[in-house]
Amino acid sequence: MAKALITYASMSGNTEDIAVIIRDALQEYELDIDCIEIEDVDVTALTSYDYVLIGTYTWGDGDLPYEAEDFFEAVKQLQLNGLKTACFGSGDYSYPKFCEAVNLFSSMLQEAGAAVYQETLKIELAPETDEDAESCRAFAKGFLAWADYMNKEKSHVS
Ligand SMILES: Cc1cc2nc3c(=O)[nH]c(=O)nc-3n(C[C@H](O)[C@H](O)[C@H](O)COP(=O)(O)O)c2cc1C
Protein backbone atom coordinates (compact mmCIF):
# COMPACT_ATOMS: atom_id res chain seq x y z
CA MET A 1 0.00 0.00 0.00
CA ALA A 2 1.30 3.47 -0.86
CA LYS A 3 2.28 5.64 2.08
CA ALA A 4 1.33 9.27 2.61
CA LEU A 5 2.63 11.72 5.17
CA ILE A 6 0.61 14.78 6.08
CA THR A 7 2.60 16.98 8.41
CA TYR A 8 1.79 20.41 9.73
CA ALA A 9 2.82 23.31 11.94
CA SER A 10 -0.19 24.83 13.65
CA MET A 11 -0.22 27.14 16.62
CA SER A 12 -3.92 27.84 17.02
CA GLY A 13 -5.30 24.81 15.15
CA ASN A 14 -6.28 26.27 11.76
CA THR A 15 -3.62 24.47 9.73
CA GLU A 16 -4.30 21.30 11.72
CA ASP A 17 -8.00 21.56 10.76
CA ILE A 18 -7.00 21.78 7.10
CA ALA A 19 -4.69 18.76 7.54
CA VAL A 20 -7.54 16.73 9.03
CA ILE A 21 -9.87 17.50 6.11
CA ILE A 22 -7.10 16.50 3.69
CA ARG A 23 -6.49 13.31 5.67
CA ASP A 24 -10.20 12.42 5.62
CA ALA A 25 -10.34 13.03 1.86
CA LEU A 26 -7.28 10.84 1.25
CA GLN A 27 -8.73 8.06 3.41
CA GLU A 28 -11.10 7.29 0.55
CA TYR A 29 -8.10 5.92 -1.32
CA GLU A 30 -6.01 2.88 -0.52
CA LEU A 31 -3.31 4.69 1.38
CA ASP A 32 -1.44 4.21 4.60
CA ILE A 33 -1.58 7.74 6.07
CA ASP A 34 0.46 9.32 8.86
CA CYS A 35 -0.86 12.72 9.95
CA ILE A 36 1.57 14.26 12.44
CA GLU A 37 2.98 17.54 13.72
CA ILE A 38 6.07 18.80 11.95
CA GLU A 39 8.24 18.54 15.06
CA ASP A 40 7.50 14.82 15.35
CA VAL A 41 8.59 13.87 11.83
CA ASP A 42 11.64 11.66 11.42
CA VAL A 43 13.20 13.52 8.51
CA THR A 44 15.47 10.58 7.65
CA ALA A 45 12.32 8.54 6.90
CA LEU A 46 10.78 11.16 4.64
CA THR A 47 11.75 9.44 1.42
CA SER A 48 10.09 6.21 2.60
CA TYR A 49 6.77 7.91 1.79
CA ASP A 50 5.22 7.98 -1.67
CA TYR A 51 3.42 11.26 -0.99
CA VAL A 52 4.28 14.08 1.37
CA LEU A 53 1.93 16.98 2.09
CA ILE A 54 3.28 19.82 4.22
CA GLY A 55 1.10 22.37 5.97
CA THR A 56 2.21 25.55 7.66
CA TYR A 57 0.82 28.79 8.98
CA THR A 58 2.81 31.98 8.38
CA TRP A 59 4.46 33.95 11.13
CA GLY A 60 6.21 37.33 11.54
CA ASP A 61 6.37 39.14 8.22
CA GLY A 62 5.87 36.23 5.83
CA ASP A 63 8.12 33.93 7.88
CA LEU A 64 8.16 30.24 8.70
CA PRO A 65 6.82 29.29 12.11
CA TYR A 66 9.63 28.80 14.60
CA GLU A 67 8.68 25.14 15.13
CA ALA A 68 8.97 24.42 11.38
CA GLU A 69 12.52 25.76 11.02
CA ASP A 70 14.47 22.62 12.00
CA PHE A 71 12.34 20.46 9.69
CA PHE A 72 12.74 22.98 6.87
CA GLU A 73 16.53 23.11 7.21
CA ALA A 74 16.84 19.33 7.48
CA VAL A 75 14.67 18.65 4.42
CA LYS A 76 16.64 21.24 2.45
CA GLN A 77 19.73 19.02 2.83
CA LEU A 78 18.02 15.95 1.35
CA GLN A 79 17.98 14.67 -2.21
CA LEU A 80 14.28 14.16 -2.75
CA ASN A 81 14.58 12.48 -6.15
CA GLY A 82 11.15 13.30 -7.48
CA LEU A 83 9.25 12.63 -4.22
CA LYS A 84 5.64 13.76 -4.82
CA THR A 85 4.91 16.68 -2.54
CA ALA A 86 2.33 19.40 -1.99
CA CYS A 87 2.09 22.41 0.30
CA PHE A 88 -0.84 24.00 2.08
CA GLY A 89 -1.48 26.37 4.93
CA SER A 90 -3.46 28.98 6.74
CA GLY A 91 -2.79 32.71 6.79
CA ASP A 92 -4.50 36.01 7.28
CA TYR A 93 -5.13 38.56 4.52
CA SER A 94 -4.54 41.40 6.97
CA TYR A 95 -0.81 40.67 6.66
CA PRO A 96 1.00 41.82 3.49
CA LYS A 97 2.59 38.42 2.77
CA PHE A 98 -0.41 36.10 2.78
CA CYS A 99 0.59 32.47 3.42
CA GLU A 100 4.17 33.19 2.38
CA ALA A 101 5.50 30.23 4.41
CA VAL A 102 3.60 27.94 2.02
CA ASN A 103 5.57 29.47 -0.87
CA LEU A 104 8.84 29.11 1.08
CA PHE A 105 8.21 25.37 1.53
CA SER A 106 7.21 24.95 -2.08
CA SER A 107 10.40 26.58 -3.40
CA MET A 108 12.62 24.70 -0.97
CA LEU A 109 11.11 21.34 -1.97
CA GLN A 110 11.64 22.16 -5.63
CA GLU A 111 15.29 22.98 -4.97
CA ALA A 112 15.73 19.74 -3.00
CA GLY A 113 14.60 17.77 -6.07
CA ALA A 114 11.01 16.97 -5.15
CA ALA A 115 8.18 16.92 -7.66
CA VAL A 116 5.98 19.69 -6.29
CA TYR A 117 2.26 19.92 -7.07
CA GLN A 118 1.88 23.28 -8.81
CA GLU A 119 -1.24 24.18 -6.88
CA THR A 120 -0.93 25.33 -3.30
CA LEU A 121 -3.85 25.47 -0.88
CA LYS A 122 -4.07 28.72 1.08
CA ILE A 123 -6.95 29.16 3.49
CA GLU A 124 -7.80 32.34 5.35
CA LEU A 125 -7.74 31.41 9.06
CA ALA A 126 -9.82 28.26 9.80
CA PRO A 127 -11.46 26.17 7.05
CA GLU A 128 -14.89 27.09 8.37
CA THR A 129 -17.12 27.36 5.35
CA ASP A 130 -18.35 24.53 3.13
CA GLU A 131 -16.44 26.21 0.34
CA ASP A 132 -13.19 26.05 2.35
CA ALA A 133 -13.72 22.38 3.16
CA GLU A 134 -14.45 21.66 -0.48
CA SER A 135 -11.25 23.48 -1.51
CA CYS A 136 -9.30 21.24 0.89
CA ARG A 137 -10.86 18.07 -0.52
CA ALA A 138 -10.35 19.22 -4.11
CA PHE A 139 -6.71 19.97 -3.32
CA ALA A 140 -6.17 16.51 -1.81
CA LYS A 141 -7.81 14.74 -4.73
CA GLY A 142 -6.14 16.96 -7.31
CA PHE A 143 -2.77 16.20 -5.78
CA LEU A 144 -3.32 12.45 -5.91
CA ALA A 145 -4.59 12.58 -9.49
CA TRP A 146 -1.52 14.58 -10.47
CA ALA A 147 0.84 12.18 -8.62
CA ASP A 148 -0.83 9.20 -10.25
CA TYR A 149 -0.43 10.81 -13.66
CA MET A 150 3.26 11.47 -12.92
CA ASN A 151 3.77 7.82 -11.91
CA LYS A 152 2.20 6.60 -15.14
CA GLU A 153 4.27 9.00 -17.23
CA LYS A 154 7.42 7.75 -15.53
CA SER A 155 6.64 4.07 -16.07
CA HIS A 156 5.72 4.83 -19.67
CA VAL A 157 9.10 6.47 -20.35
CA SER A 158 11.28 3.85 -18.65
C1 LIG B 1 2.58 37.63 14.96
C2 LIG B 1 1.82 37.05 13.80
C3 LIG B 1 2.33 37.19 12.52
C4 LIG B 1 1.64 36.70 11.42
N1 LIG B 1 2.14 36.88 10.14
C5 LIG B 1 1.43 36.45 9.06
C6 LIG B 1 1.90 36.68 7.73
O1 LIG B 1 2.96 37.24 7.49
N2 LIG B 1 1.14 36.22 6.69
C7 LIG B 1 -0.05 35.57 6.88
O2 LIG B 1 -0.70 35.20 5.91
N3 LIG B 1 -0.52 35.35 8.16
C8 LIG B 1 0.18 35.76 9.23
N4 LIG B 1 -0.29 35.54 10.50
C9 LIG B 1 -1.60 34.88 10.66
C10 LIG B 1 -1.54 33.37 10.91
O3 LIG B 1 -0.78 32.71 9.92
C11 LIG B 1 -2.97 32.87 10.93
O4 LIG B 1 -3.60 33.32 12.11
C12 LIG B 1 -3.10 31.35 10.83
O5 LIG B 1 -4.47 31.03 10.66
C13 LIG B 1 -2.58 30.61 12.05
O6 LIG B 1 -2.66 29.24 11.77
P1 LIG B 1 -2.68 28.12 12.91
O7 LIG B 1 -4.05 28.21 13.60
O8 LIG B 1 -2.51 26.84 12.18
O9 LIG B 1 -1.58 28.42 13.88
C14 LIG B 1 0.39 36.02 11.61
C15 LIG B 1 -0.11 35.87 12.92
C16 LIG B 1 0.58 36.38 14.00
C17 LIG B 1 0.00 36.22 15.38
Side-chain angles (χ1 to χ4, degrees):
M1 200 188 280
K3 281 177 66 184
L5 171 68
I6 304 166
T7 185
Y8 55 88
S10 186
M11 185 176 57
S12 51
N14 298 336
T15 310
E16 183 175 19
D17 288 351
I18 300 168
V20 167
I21 299 171
I22 291 173
R23 183 199 66 196
D24 290 350
L26 292 184
Q27 265 164 354
E28 290 174 25
Y29 301 83
E30 280 201 6
L31 286 175
D32 176 6
I33 305 171
D34 288 336
C35 186
I36 50 181
E37 286 188 51
I38 212 155
E39 288 160 296
D40 297 334
V41 175
D42 174 5
V43 176
T44 59
L46 204 71
T47 51
S48 71
Y49 290 94
D50 300 285
Y51 311 114
V52 174
L53 297 100
I54 300 174
T56 180
Y57 66 97
T58 299
W59 188 244
D61 177 24
D63 300 330
L64 292 176
Y66 174 73
E67 67 272 29
E69 282 176 4
D70 286 352
F71 176 84
F72 187 96
E73 291 304 321
V75 175
K76 202 174 168 178
Q77 308 303 322
L78 299 176
Q79 302 285 331
L80 294 176
N81 298 324
L83 178 69
K84 314 285 184 310
T85 62
C87 302
F88 63 93
S90 171
D92 183 338
Y93 277 116
S94 63
Y95 291 87
K97 295 179 183 165
F98 180 66
C99 282
E100 183 62 20
V102 176
N103 301 334
L104 294 174
F105 262 106
S106 213
S107 309
M108 178 277 283
L109 289 168
Q110 202 114 34
E111 278 167 31
V116 186
Y117 185 40
Q118 287 293 329
E119 278 180 45
T120 52
L121 173 70
K122 296 172 177 172
I123 300 285
E124 161 115 79
L125 302 171
E128 276 172 349
T129 64
D130 289 347
E131 200 187 336
D132 286 339
E134 189 44 44
S135 300
C136 298
R137 289 191 287 269
F139 172 76
K141 290 176 185 183
F143 167 67
L144 265 199
W146 165 80
D148 196 38
Y149 173 78
M150 297 281 286
N151 286 338
K152 284 186 182 133
E153 281 287 288
K154 202 174 157 192
S155 57
H156 188 66
V157 172
S158 57

